[in-house]
Each structure stands twice: as structure tokens, then as C-alpha cells.
Coordinates of all heavy atoms in Angstrom, one line a residue:
M83 N 118.6 90.2 93.3 CA 117.7 91.2 94.0 C 118.1 92.6 93.6 O 117.2 93.5 93.5 CB 117.7 91.0 95.5 CG 116.8 92.0 96.2 SD 116.5 91.4 97.8 CE 115.6 92.8 98.5
G84 N 119.4 92.9 93.4 CA 119.8 94.3 93.1 C 119.2 94.8 91.8 O 118.7 95.9 91.7
K85 N 119.1 93.9 90.8 CA 118.6 94.3 89.5 C 117.0 94.5 89.6 O 116.5 95.5 89.0 CB 118.8 93.2 88.4 CG 118.4 93.6 87.1 CD 118.9 92.6 86.1 CE 118.5 93.1 84.7 NZ 119.0 92.1 83.6
E86 N 116.4 93.7 90.4 CA 114.9 93.9 90.6 C 114.6 95.2 91.3 O 113.7 95.9 91.0 CB 114.4 92.7 91.5 CG 114.3 91.4 90.8 CD 114.0 90.3 91.7 OE1 113.7 90.5 92.9 OE2 113.9 89.1 91.2
T87 N 115.4 95.6 92.3 CA 115.2 96.9 93.0 C 115.5 98.1 92.1 O 114.8 99.1 92.2 CB 116.0 97.0 94.3 OG1 117.4 96.7 94.1 CG2 115.5 96.0 95.4
N88 N 116.5 97.9 91.3 CA 116.8 99.0 90.3 C 115.6 99.1 89.3 O 115.2 100.2 89.0 CB 118.1 98.6 89.5 CG 119.4 98.8 90.3 OD1 119.3 99.1 91.5 ND2 120.5 98.5 89.6
E89 N 115.1 98.0 88.9 CA 113.9 98.1 88.0 C 112.7 98.7 88.7 O 111.9 99.4 88.0 CB 113.6 96.7 87.4 CG 114.7 96.1 86.4 CD 114.9 97.1 85.3 OE1 113.9 97.6 84.7 OE2 116.1 97.3 84.9
L90 N 112.5 98.4 89.9 CA 111.4 98.9 90.7 C 111.5 100.5 90.8 O 110.5 101.1 90.5 CB 111.3 98.3 92.1 CG 110.2 98.9 93.0 CD1 108.8 98.7 92.4 CD2 110.3 98.3 94.4
A91 N 112.7 101.0 91.0 CA 112.9 102.4 91.1 C 112.6 103.0 89.7 O 111.9 104.0 89.7 CB 114.3 102.7 91.5
K92 N 113.1 102.4 88.7 CA 112.8 103.0 87.3 C 111.3 103.0 87.0 O 110.8 103.9 86.4 CB 113.6 102.1 86.3 CG 115.0 102.4 86.2 CD 115.7 101.5 85.2 CE 117.2 101.6 85.2 NZ 117.9 100.8 84.3
S93 N 110.6 101.9 87.4 CA 109.2 101.8 87.1 C 108.4 102.8 87.9 O 107.4 103.4 87.4 CB 108.7 100.4 87.3 OG 108.7 100.0 88.6
V94 N 108.8 103.1 89.1 CA 108.1 104.1 89.9 C 108.3 105.5 89.3 O 107.3 106.2 89.2 CB 108.6 104.0 91.4 CG1 108.0 105.2 92.2 CG2 108.1 102.7 92.1
V95 N 109.5 105.8 89.0 CA 109.8 107.1 88.4 C 109.0 107.2 87.1 O 108.4 108.3 86.8 CB 111.3 107.3 88.1 CG1 111.6 108.5 87.2 CG2 112.1 107.4 89.4
S96 N 109.0 106.2 86.3 CA 108.2 106.2 85.0 C 106.8 106.4 85.2 O 106.1 107.2 84.5 CB 108.5 104.9 84.2 OG 107.8 104.9 83.0
A97 N 106.2 105.7 86.2 CA 104.8 105.9 86.6 C 104.4 107.3 87.0 O 103.4 107.8 86.7 CB 104.4 104.8 87.6
V98 N 105.3 107.8 87.9 CA 105.0 109.2 88.4 C 105.1 110.2 87.2 O 104.2 111.1 87.1 CB 106.1 109.6 89.5 CG1 106.0 111.0 89.8 CG2 105.9 108.7 90.7
L99 N 106.1 110.1 86.4 CA 106.2 111.1 85.2 C 105.0 110.9 84.3 O 104.5 111.8 83.7 CB 107.5 110.9 84.6 CG 108.7 111.3 85.4 CD1 110.0 111.0 84.6 CD2 108.6 112.8 85.7
S100 N 104.6 109.6 84.1 CA 103.5 109.3 83.2 C 102.2 109.9 83.7 O 101.4 110.5 83.0 CB 103.3 107.8 83.1 OG 102.2 107.5 82.3
E101 N 102.0 109.8 85.0 CA 100.8 110.4 85.6 C 100.8 111.9 85.6 O 99.7 112.5 85.3 CB 100.7 109.9 87.1 CG 99.4 110.3 87.7 CD 98.2 109.5 87.2 OE1 98.3 108.6 86.4 OE2 97.0 110.0 87.5
L102 N 101.9 112.5 85.7 CA 102.0 114.0 85.6 C 101.7 114.4 84.2 O 101.0 115.4 84.0 CB 103.4 114.4 86.0 CG 103.7 115.9 86.2 CD1 102.7 116.6 87.2 CD2 105.1 116.2 86.6
R103 N 102.2 113.7 83.2 CA 101.9 114.0 81.8 C 100.4 113.8 81.5 O 99.8 114.6 80.8 CB 102.7 113.1 80.8 CG 104.1 113.5 80.7 CD 104.8 112.7 79.5 NE 104.9 111.3 79.8 CZ 105.9 110.7 80.4 NH1 106.9 111.4 80.9 NH2 105.9 109.4 80.6
R104 N 99.8 112.8 82.1 CA 98.4 112.5 81.9 C 97.6 113.7 82.4 O 96.6 114.2 81.8 CB 97.9 111.3 82.6 CG 96.5 110.9 82.3 CD 96.1 109.6 83.1 NE 95.9 109.8 84.5 CZ 94.8 110.4 85.0 NH1 93.9 110.8 84.3 NH2 94.8 110.6 86.4
Y105 N 98.0 114.3 83.6 CA 97.3 115.4 84.1 C 97.4 116.6 83.2 O 96.4 117.3 82.9 CB 97.9 115.8 85.5 CG 97.2 115.2 86.7 CD1 97.4 113.9 87.0 CD2 96.4 116.0 87.5 CE1 96.8 113.3 88.1 CE2 95.8 115.4 88.6 CZ 96.0 114.1 88.9 OH 95.4 113.5 90.0
K106 N 98.6 116.9 82.7 CA 98.8 118.0 81.8 C 98.1 117.8 80.5 O 97.6 118.8 79.9 CB 100.3 118.1 81.5 CG 101.1 118.6 82.7 CD 102.6 118.7 82.5 CE 103.3 119.2 83.7 NZ 104.7 119.4 83.5
K107 N 98.0 116.6 80.0 CA 97.3 116.3 78.7 C 95.8 116.5 78.9 O 95.1 117.0 78.0 CB 97.6 114.9 78.2 CG 97.1 114.6 76.9 CD 97.5 113.2 76.4 CE 97.0 112.9 75.0 NZ 97.4 111.6 74.6
K108 N 95.3 116.1 80.1 CA 93.9 116.2 80.3 C 93.4 117.6 80.3 O 92.3 118.0 79.9 CB 93.6 115.5 81.7 CG 92.2 115.5 82.1 CD 92.0 114.8 83.5 CE 90.6 114.9 84.0 NZ 90.5 114.3 85.3
D109 N 94.2 118.5 80.9 CA 93.9 119.9 80.9 C 95.1 120.8 80.6 O 95.8 121.3 81.5 CB 93.3 120.3 82.2 CG 92.5 121.6 82.2 OD1 92.7 122.4 81.3 OD2 91.7 121.9 83.1
P110 N 95.4 121.0 79.3 CA 96.7 121.7 78.9 C 96.7 123.2 79.3 O 97.8 123.8 79.3 CB 96.7 121.5 77.3 CG 95.3 121.1 77.0 CD 94.7 120.5 78.1
N111 N 95.6 123.7 79.7 CA 95.6 125.1 80.1 C 96.0 125.3 81.6 O 96.1 126.5 82.0 CB 94.2 125.8 79.9 CG 93.8 125.8 78.4 OD1 94.7 126.1 77.5 ND2 92.6 125.5 78.1
K112 N 96.1 124.3 82.3 CA 96.5 124.3 83.7 C 97.9 123.8 83.8 O 98.4 123.1 83.1 CB 95.6 123.4 84.5 CG 94.1 123.9 84.6 CD 93.3 123.0 85.5 CE 91.9 123.5 85.5 NZ 91.0 122.6 86.3
A113 N 98.5 124.3 84.9 CA 99.9 123.9 85.2 C 99.8 123.0 86.5 O 99.0 123.3 87.4 CB 100.8 125.1 85.5
F114 N 100.7 122.0 86.6 CA 100.6 121.1 87.7 C 102.1 121.0 88.2 O 103.0 121.1 87.5 CB 100.1 119.7 87.3 CG 98.7 119.7 86.8 CD1 98.4 119.9 85.5 CD2 97.7 119.7 87.7 CE1 97.0 119.9 85.1 CE2 96.4 119.7 87.4 CZ 96.0 119.8 86.0
M115 N 102.1 120.7 89.5 CA 103.4 120.5 90.1 C 103.4 119.2 91.0 O 102.3 118.7 91.4 CB 103.9 121.6 91.0 CG 103.0 121.9 92.1 SD 103.6 123.4 93.0 CE 102.1 123.8 93.9
L116 N 104.6 118.6 91.1 CA 104.8 117.4 91.9 C 105.3 117.8 93.2 O 106.3 118.5 93.3 CB 105.7 116.5 91.1 CG 105.9 115.1 91.7 CD1 104.6 114.3 91.6 CD2 107.0 114.4 90.8
L117 N 104.7 117.3 94.3 CA 105.1 117.6 95.7 C 105.4 116.3 96.4 O 104.8 115.3 96.2 CB 104.0 118.3 96.4 CG 103.5 119.6 95.8 CD1 102.2 120.1 96.5 CD2 104.6 120.7 95.8
D118 N 106.4 116.4 97.3 CA 106.6 115.3 98.3 C 105.6 115.4 99.4 O 104.8 116.4 99.5 CB 108.0 115.2 98.7 CG 108.4 116.3 99.7 OD1 107.7 117.2 100.0 OD2 109.6 116.3 100.2
L119 N 105.5 114.5 100.3 CA 104.5 114.6 101.4 C 104.8 115.7 102.4 O 103.8 116.2 103.1 CB 104.5 113.3 102.2 CG 103.8 112.1 101.4 CD1 103.7 110.9 102.2 CD2 102.4 112.5 100.9
A120 N 106.0 116.3 102.4 CA 106.3 117.5 103.2 C 105.8 118.8 102.6 O 106.0 119.8 103.1 CB 107.8 117.5 103.6
G121 N 105.3 118.7 101.3 CA 104.9 119.9 100.6 C 106.0 120.6 99.8 O 105.8 121.7 99.4
N122 N 107.2 119.9 99.7 CA 108.2 120.5 98.9 C 108.1 120.2 97.4 O 107.7 119.1 97.1 CB 109.6 120.0 99.4 CG 109.8 120.3 100.8 OD1 109.7 121.4 101.3 ND2 110.2 119.3 101.6
M123 N 108.3 121.1 96.5 CA 108.2 120.9 95.1 C 109.3 120.1 94.6 O 110.5 120.3 94.8 CB 108.2 122.3 94.4 CG 107.9 122.1 92.9 SD 107.6 123.6 92.0 CE 108.8 124.7 92.6
V124 N 109.0 119.1 93.8 CA 110.0 118.2 93.2 C 110.3 118.8 91.9 O 109.5 119.0 91.0 CB 109.4 116.8 93.0 CG1 110.4 115.9 92.3 CG2 108.9 116.2 94.3
T125 N 111.6 119.3 91.7 CA 112.0 119.9 90.5 C 112.7 118.9 89.5 O 112.8 119.2 88.3 CB 113.0 121.0 90.8 OG1 114.2 120.5 91.5 CG2 112.3 122.1 91.6
E126 N 113.1 117.8 90.1 CA 113.7 116.7 89.2 C 113.5 115.4 89.9 O 113.7 115.3 91.2 CB 115.2 116.9 88.9 CG 115.7 115.9 88.0 CD 117.2 116.2 87.6 OE1 117.6 117.4 87.7 OE2 117.9 115.2 87.2
I127 N 113.2 114.4 89.2 CA 113.0 113.0 89.7 C 113.7 112.0 88.8 O 113.6 112.1 87.6 CB 111.5 112.7 90.0 CG1 111.4 111.3 90.6 CG2 110.7 112.8 88.7 CD1 110.0 110.9 91.0
R128 N 114.5 111.1 89.4 CA 115.1 110.1 88.5 C 115.5 108.9 89.4 O 115.5 109.0 90.6 CB 116.4 110.6 87.9 CG 117.5 111.1 88.8 CD 118.7 111.7 88.2 NE 119.7 112.1 89.1 CZ 119.7 113.2 89.8 NH1 118.7 114.0 89.7 NH2 120.7 113.4 90.7
S129 N 115.7 107.8 88.8 CA 116.2 106.6 89.5 C 117.6 106.7 89.7 O 118.4 107.2 88.8 CB 115.8 105.3 88.7 OG 116.4 105.3 87.5
C130 N 118.1 106.2 90.8 CA 119.5 106.3 91.2 C 119.9 104.9 91.8 O 119.8 104.7 93.0 CB 119.8 107.4 92.2 SG 121.4 107.6 92.7
G131 N 120.1 103.9 90.9 CA 120.3 102.6 91.3 C 119.0 102.1 91.9 O 117.9 102.2 91.3
P132 N 119.0 101.5 93.1 CA 117.8 101.0 93.7 C 116.9 102.1 94.4 O 115.8 101.8 94.9 CB 118.3 100.0 94.8 CG 119.6 100.6 95.1 CD 120.2 101.2 93.9
L133 N 117.4 103.3 94.4 CA 116.6 104.4 95.0 C 116.1 105.4 94.0 O 116.4 105.4 92.8 CB 117.6 105.2 96.0 CG 118.2 104.3 97.1 CD1 119.2 105.1 97.9 CD2 117.0 103.8 98.0
I134 N 115.2 106.3 94.5 CA 114.7 107.4 93.7 C 115.3 108.7 94.2 O 115.2 109.0 95.4 CB 113.1 107.4 93.8 CG1 112.6 106.1 93.2 CG2 112.6 108.6 93.1 CD1 111.1 106.0 93.4
A135 N 115.9 109.4 93.3 CA 116.6 110.7 93.7 C 115.6 111.8 93.3 O 115.2 111.9 92.2 CB 117.9 110.8 93.0
C136 N 115.4 112.7 94.2 CA 114.5 113.9 93.9 C 115.3 115.2 94.3 O 115.9 115.3 95.4 CB 113.2 113.8 94.7 SG 112.2 112.5 94.2
E137 N 115.3 116.1 93.4 CA 115.8 117.4 93.8 C 114.5 118.2 94.2 O 113.5 118.2 93.5 CB 116.5 118.1 92.6 CG 117.8 117.4 92.3 CD 118.6 118.1 91.2 OE1 118.4 119.3 91.0 OE2 119.4 117.4 90.6
L138 N 114.6 118.8 95.3 CA 113.4 119.4 96.0 C 113.7 120.9 96.2 O 114.8 121.3 96.4 CB 113.1 118.8 97.3 CG 112.8 117.3 97.2 CD1 113.0 116.6 98.6 CD2 111.5 117.0 96.6
L139 N 112.6 121.7 96.2 CA 112.6 123.1 96.5 C 111.7 123.4 97.6 O 110.4 123.1 97.5 CB 112.2 123.9 95.2 CG 112.2 125.4 95.4 CD1 113.6 125.9 95.7 CD2 111.7 126.0 94.1
K140 N 112.2 123.8 98.7 CA 111.4 124.1 99.9 C 110.7 125.5 99.7 O 111.1 126.3 98.8 CB 112.2 124.2 101.2 CG 112.7 122.9 101.7 CD 113.5 123.2 103.0 CE 113.4 122.0 103.9 NZ 114.0 122.3 105.2
N141 N 109.7 125.7 100.5 CA 109.0 127.0 100.4 C 109.8 128.2 100.6 O 109.6 129.3 100.1 CB 107.8 127.0 101.3 CG 106.6 126.1 100.8 OD1 106.6 125.8 99.6 ND2 105.8 125.7 101.8
D142 N 110.9 128.0 101.4 CA 111.8 129.2 101.7 C 112.9 129.4 100.6 O 113.8 130.2 100.8 CB 112.4 129.0 103.1 CG 113.2 127.8 103.3 OD1 113.4 127.0 102.3 OD2 113.7 127.5 104.4
G143 N 112.8 128.6 99.6 CA 113.8 128.7 98.5 C 115.0 127.8 98.6 O 115.9 127.8 97.7
V144 N 115.1 127.0 99.6 CA 116.3 126.1 99.8 C 116.1 125.0 98.9 O 115.0 124.3 98.8 CB 116.4 125.7 101.2 CG1 117.5 124.6 101.4 CG2 116.7 126.8 102.2
E145 N 117.2 124.6 98.1 CA 117.1 123.4 97.2 C 118.0 122.4 97.9 O 119.0 122.6 98.4 CB 117.8 123.8 95.9 CG 116.9 124.8 95.1 CD 117.5 125.1 93.7 OE1 117.4 124.3 92.8 OE2 118.3 126.1 93.7
Y146 N 117.5 121.1 97.8 CA 118.3 120.0 98.3 C 117.8 118.7 97.6 O 116.8 118.7 96.8 CB 118.1 119.8 99.8 CG 116.7 119.5 100.3 CD1 116.4 118.2 100.7 CD2 115.7 120.4 100.3 CE1 115.2 117.8 101.1 CE2 114.4 120.0 100.8 CZ 114.2 118.8 101.2 OH 112.9 118.4 101.6
M147 N 118.6 117.6 97.7 CA 118.3 116.4 97.2 C 118.0 115.4 98.3 O 118.6 115.4 99.4 CB 119.5 115.8 96.3 CG 119.2 114.5 95.8 SD 120.6 113.8 94.8 CE 120.3 114.7 93.3
K148 N 117.0 114.5 98.0 CA 116.6 113.5 98.9 C 116.5 112.2 98.1 O 116.0 112.2 97.0 CB 115.3 113.9 99.6 CG 114.9 113.0 100.7 CD 113.7 113.6 101.5 CE 113.4 112.7 102.7 NZ 112.3 113.3 103.5
L149 N 116.9 111.1 98.8 CA 116.8 109.8 98.2 C 115.7 109.0 98.9 O 115.5 109.1 100.1 CB 118.1 109.0 98.4 CG 119.3 109.6 97.7 CD1 120.6 108.9 98.0 CD2 119.1 109.6 96.2
Y150 N 114.9 108.4 98.1 CA 113.7 107.7 98.7 C 113.8 106.2 98.3 O 114.3 105.9 97.2 CB 112.4 108.2 98.1 CG 112.0 109.6 98.4 CD1 112.4 110.7 97.6 CD2 111.3 109.9 99.6 CE1 112.0 111.9 97.9 CE2 110.9 111.2 99.9 CZ 111.3 112.2 99.1 OH 111.0 113.5 99.4
S151 N 113.2 105.4 99.1 CA 113.1 103.9 98.7 C 111.8 103.9 97.8 O 110.8 104.5 98.1 CB 112.8 103.1 100.0 OG 112.3 101.9 99.6
P152 N 111.9 103.1 96.7 CA 110.7 103.0 95.8 C 109.5 102.4 96.4 O 108.4 102.6 96.0 CB 111.2 102.3 94.6 CG 112.4 101.6 95.1 CD 113.0 102.4 96.2
S153 N 109.7 101.6 97.5 CA 108.6 100.9 98.1 C 107.9 101.8 99.1 O 106.7 101.5 99.5 CB 109.0 99.7 98.8 OG 110.0 99.9 99.8
T154 N 108.4 103.0 99.5 CA 107.8 103.8 100.5 C 107.5 105.2 100.1 O 107.0 106.0 100.8 CB 108.7 103.9 101.8 OG1 109.9 104.4 101.5 CG2 108.8 102.5 102.4
V155 N 107.9 105.6 98.8 CA 107.8 106.9 98.3 C 106.3 107.3 98.0 O 105.6 106.5 97.6 CB 108.7 107.2 97.1 CG1 108.2 106.4 95.9 CG2 108.9 108.7 96.8
N156 N 106.0 108.6 98.3 CA 104.7 109.0 98.0 C 104.8 110.5 97.5 O 105.6 111.3 98.0 CB 103.8 109.1 99.3 CG 103.3 107.8 99.7 OD1 102.6 107.1 99.1 ND2 103.9 107.3 100.9
F157 N 104.0 110.8 96.5 CA 104.0 112.1 95.9 C 102.5 112.6 95.7 O 101.6 111.8 95.7 CB 104.6 112.1 94.5 CG 106.1 111.8 94.6 CD1 106.5 110.6 94.1 CD2 107.0 112.7 95.0 CE1 107.9 110.2 94.2 CE2 108.4 112.4 95.0 CZ 108.8 111.2 94.6
E158 N 102.4 113.9 95.5 CA 101.1 114.5 95.3 C 101.2 115.4 94.0 O 102.2 116.1 93.9 CB 100.7 115.3 96.5 CG 99.4 116.1 96.3 CD 99.1 117.0 97.5 OE1 99.8 116.9 98.5 OE2 98.1 117.7 97.4
I159 N 100.3 115.3 93.2 CA 100.2 116.2 92.0 C 99.2 117.2 92.3 O 98.1 116.9 92.6 CB 99.8 115.4 90.7 CG1 100.9 114.4 90.4 CG2 99.7 116.4 89.5 CD1 100.6 113.5 89.2
R160 N 99.6 118.5 92.2 CA 98.7 119.6 92.6 C 98.7 120.6 91.5 O 99.7 120.9 90.9 CB 99.2 120.2 93.9 CG 98.1 121.2 94.5 CD 98.6 121.8 95.8 NE 98.8 120.8 96.8 CZ 99.3 121.0 98.0 NH1 99.8 122.3 98.2 NH2 99.4 120.1 98.9
E161 N 97.5 121.2 91.2 CA 97.4 122.3 90.3 C 98.0 123.5 90.8 O 97.9 123.9 92.0 CB 95.9 122.5 90.0 CG 95.7 123.6 88.9 CD 94.2 123.9 88.7 OE1 93.3 123.1 89.1 OE2 93.9 125.0 88.1
V162 N 98.8 124.2 89.9 CA 99.4 125.5 90.3 C 98.3 126.6 90.3 O 97.6 126.7 89.2 CB 100.5 125.8 89.4 CG1 101.1 127.2 89.7 CG2 101.6 124.8 89.5
K163 N 98.1 127.3 91.4 CA 97.1 128.3 91.4 C 97.8 129.7 91.3 O 98.8 130.0 92.0 CB 96.4 128.3 92.7 CG 95.6 127.1 93.1 CD 94.4 127.0 92.2 CE 93.6 125.7 92.6 NZ 92.4 125.5 91.9
N164 N 97.4 130.5 90.3 CA 97.9 131.8 90.1 C 97.1 132.8 90.9 O 95.9 132.8 90.7 CB 98.0 132.2 88.6 CG 98.9 131.3 87.9 OD1 99.9 130.9 88.4 ND2 98.6 131.1 86.6
N165 N 97.7 133.6 91.7 CA 97.0 134.6 92.5 C 97.0 136.0 91.8 O 97.9 136.4 91.3 CB 97.6 134.8 93.9 CG 97.3 133.5 94.7 OD1 96.3 132.8 94.5 ND2 98.1 133.3 95.7

């Protein structure tokens, strides 16, 4: 079971990065960011054994790492708006 959960984490990370690349390829003139459900920007995502490790940046500038279960993780891809 350990190997299966490690593979699940890797496949989720791969799928998220693939989808982000698809957005960027679809419209190369726009910038996109990956957000967790709390609205924090994901600055790095990787598999960490059976978990998904994300380095996050809060709106107030605080950086931190959070570990997610691959079966419950949710992300949002949002276009960066320049004001």
C-alpha cells in the first residue's frame, strides 16, 4: 500500500502541473497562479512520499509549507490580473 500511495501523490502532482502548463500554453500572453482552497499562492508543489508538499505564500507575505493527502487535496488555477 505504501508504494501505491507514493504513486498517487506523484500522479496528482504531475496532473496539477500538467494542467497549469495547459493553461499557459492555451494563452501564453496571460499569467496563471496555483492557489489552495484558502486562497494562498502555491509557490512550489512536489510529492513527499505518500503526501503532497506545498510551499505557500499567504496574502500577508508569510511563507510556510503544508502537507496534503493526495486523496483530499484541491487547487484552483487563477489568471493573474494586473492592476
